[in-house]
Amino acid sequence: MSLNELNRQDPAIGALIALEESRQFYTAKLIPSENYASLAVLEASGSVLTNKYSEGYPRKRYYEGQQVIDPVEELAIARAKAVFGADHANVQPYSGSPANLAMYTALIPRDAENKRILGLGLPAGGHLTHGWKVSATSRFFDFAHYGVDPVSHRLDYAAIAAQAREFKPALIVAGATAYPRVIDFAKFAEIASEVGALLVTDMAHIAGLVAGGAHPSPIPHSAAVSTTTHKTLRGPRGGMILCRAEHAQAIDKAVFPGLQGGPHNHTTAALAVALHEAATPEFRAYAQAVVDNSRALAESLMRHGLQVITGGSDNHLVLFSTMPLGATGKIAAKAMDAAGLEANFNSIPFDPQPPMNPSGVRIGTPALTSRGLGLAHMEQVGAWIARAIAGRDDPAEIARIRGEVYELMEQFPPPGFAKPYPPRQP
Ligand SMILES: *Cc1c(COP(=O)(O)O)cnc(C)c1O
């Protein structure tokens, strides 16, 4: 983006953003929760809508001057409902984490006797906001956690059902942050219904796949569905809650005034733009390509000696143990980063290593797919990853890989970057 005024007024921040533009342009972004928003999304997000306060909801605001903001939010809501086939959409959550807290507080009344929630545990791929101890979500409700099968590392629906019968939760949370397989929302709904719980789904990671028809939708099976808007959905940083009509009022009240003040209108506009993009045939093709690429990347990693959790992927992410190459996930992720392959270290199910130095690395294909990389490139990326981990103590090898990565990335400019493209940093 043109940063002329910023560079004039505040060259320190201008220079740092220029460095980050270059880093994002030349490195291979493999973090599965990241993506490249389009230039249109970035423009809406950087607009004067940031200047406006509009506590409340369209046509029911606590501030005047909503002639423009109301139709912006109404468009975002209408597009969200259409893209996901939902009765109701709240587009105001600041991000995925507050969306989850709002969803729980909406569906479990303050004076409810049963405040039990059953969610996926962090070590098995769940998110902090599914009631993990260090998350504030754990303060207000009584959480228990299900895991994955010790052998297959997949969700074991019979085991989850047994745990639900025992625990008798008011809510069951489906959804994950590090689970490489399709989630069977119909099965979750069956379990919830049997024990008299409501099913809620956190589709933060897979929202773009759901929008593009590349992952089954949780919407028909869930009382409410929370999501981020900046992961596979490729919108601005933000959150959203979709729900059945009967929960609409409770969800809206829980977001505002329950948890938040004024909505971030620039983000709402950018989300509307992203949802417009998500309704196109090009987006459907992108979503399918994300999954095809992920499958191919998992196969490439296995061919190069890495241990892929569950033996593959059928969404956008691959979780693998780096231990077969003699490195912990943290050491491997640092070597990969030095080689221009950006990822994050991650615990694997039943990880014998501690969370700060676990056995695995989590990668994904949304960002590379947004750049236009395809199946043949995934073989190459898998080879680079294995080389970087094996060559972690060889600076010349790391520099060679980095040069090769930069060269390929240069041929596939990401969305959101206009010419002139950023120069390579030394
Ligand atoms: C990313 C994520 C969140 C949190 O989103 P933030 O925008 O980082 O607050 C919540 N749930 C899941 C499953 C996620 O992957």
Side-chain angles (χ1 to χ4, degrees):
M1 285 185 106
S2 151
L3 300 175
N4 296 340
E5 183 57 23
L6 176 63
N7 285 326
R8 200 180 60 74
Q9 278 200 31
D10 191 338
I13 290 294
L16 286 170
I17 293 179
L19 276 174
E20 176 64 6
E21 282 185 342
S22 174
R23 197 192 63 78
Q24 289 194 14
F25 192 93
Y26 291 100
T27 57
K29 191 195 270 293
L30 290 164
I31 295 176
S33 49
E34 295 186 6
N35 216 324
Y36 296 100
S38 71
L39 205 48
V41 166
L42 294 181
E43 283 179 355
S45 175
S47 69
V48 297
L49 270 56
T50 202
N51 299 335
K52 187 70 195 113
Y53 244 103
S54 46
E55 283 180 354
Y57 289 99
R59 319 287 159 182
K60 290 168 292 202
R61 305 284 192 185
Y62 291 83
Y63 291 77
E64 299 312 316
Q66 310 296 343
Q67 296 84 347
V68 174
I69 299 302
D70 276 356
V72 166
E73 187 167 337
E74 283 168 344
L75 258 181
I77 290 168
R79 288 175 181 177
K81 285 162 64 177
V83 163
F84 292 103
D87 292 347
H88 179 74
N90 185 307
V91 296
Q92 294 193 4
Y94 297 146
S95 217
S97 300
N100 280 344
L101 188 52
M103 185 164 69
Y104 306 150
T105 54
L107 298 183
I108 299 188
R110 179 198 288 268
D111 50 9
E113 206 173 292
N114 182 356
K115 296 198 175 185
R116 291 184 297 277
I117 305 181
L118 182 62
L120 180 60
L122 194 75
H127 193 261
L128 284 164
T129 57
H130 299 177
W132 207 242
K133 289 175 288 289
V134 293
S135 162
T137 53
S138 72
R139 294 190 187 197
F140 309 110
F141 310 99
D142 306 318
F143 275 91
H145 294 98
Y146 56 92
V148 291
D149 180 78
V151 177
S152 70
H153 294 164
R154 294 185 186 231
L155 292 172
D156 176 347
Y157 297 94
I160 297 166
Q163 198 176 352
R165 275 178 220 122
E166 180 98 350
F167 185 57
K168 298 184 175 54
L171 294 186
I172 296 179
V173 188
T177 199
Y179 185 69
R181 295 295 184 171
V182 161
I183 296 174
D184 189 338
F185 299 116
K187 279 232 177 78
F188 266 109
E190 225 173 85
I191 295 167
S193 146
E194 189 202 319
V195 303
L198 289 175
L199 175 66
V200 296
T201 300
D202 176 354
M203 65 168 181
H205 261 256
I206 57 169
L209 305 184
V210 170
H215 188 291
S217 173
I219 303 287
H221 307 289
S222 311
V225 175
S226 66
T227 184
T228 55
T229 53
H230 47 273
K231 296 180 181 173
T232 49
L233 191 56
R234 219 159 59 181
R237 292 200 87 94
M240 176 163 64
I241 302 174
L242 306 155
C243 69
R244 293 194 180 129
E246 63 196 285
H247 303 298
Q249 206 183 13
I251 291 287
D252 284 353
K253 280 187 173 162
V255 173
F256 174 84
L259 200 65
Q260 299 190 168
H264 294 178
N265 297 310
H266 56 301
T267 303
T268 307
L271 171 58
V273 174
L275 290 165
H276 192 57
E277 294 172 0
T280 59
E282 291 76 19
F283 194 89
R284 288 188 85 80
Y286 146 80
Q288 189 54 54
V290 165
V291 173
D292 294 343
N293 280 344
S294 188
R295 207 167 274 145
L297 184 50
E299 279 162 16
S300 174
L301 289 174
M302 290 189 286
R303 270 197 298 276
H304 290 94
L306 288 153
Q307 186 203 336
V308 170
I309 303 305
T310 75
S313 166
D314 39 39
N315 56 19
H316 63 299
L317 77 79
V318 181
L319 185 61
F320 63 98
S321 169
T322 56
M323 300 306 264
L325 295 183
T328 64
K330 191 176 192 170
I331 287 168
K334 289 225 179 305
M336 287 170 61
D337 196 43
L341 303 159
E342 187 188 0
N344 63 275
F345 63 82
N346 213 101
S347 293
I348 59 172
F350 307 96
D351 203 327
Q353 290 279 124
M356 270 316 291
N357 190 19
S359 302
V361 166
R362 186 186 71 150
I363 58 174
T365 53
L368 292 187
T369 306
S370 291
R371 297 180 80 134
L373 271 70
L375 296 179
H377 302 114
M378 294 305 118
E379 167 52 34
Q380 174 67 80
V381 171
W384 278 332
I385 290 170
R387 271 176 62 197
I389 299 171
R392 60 191 177 275
D393 295 322
D394 177 356
E397 168 73 341
I398 295 294
R400 260 195 309 277
I401 301 167
R402 190 171 62 239
E404 292 171 26
V405 171
Y406 283 12
E407 217 158 275
L408 182 66
M409 293 305 123
E410 208 159 17
Q411 295 167 40
F412 291 89
F417 285 71
K419 283 183 179 164
Y421 295 132
R424 266 199 210 192
Q425 304 302 320

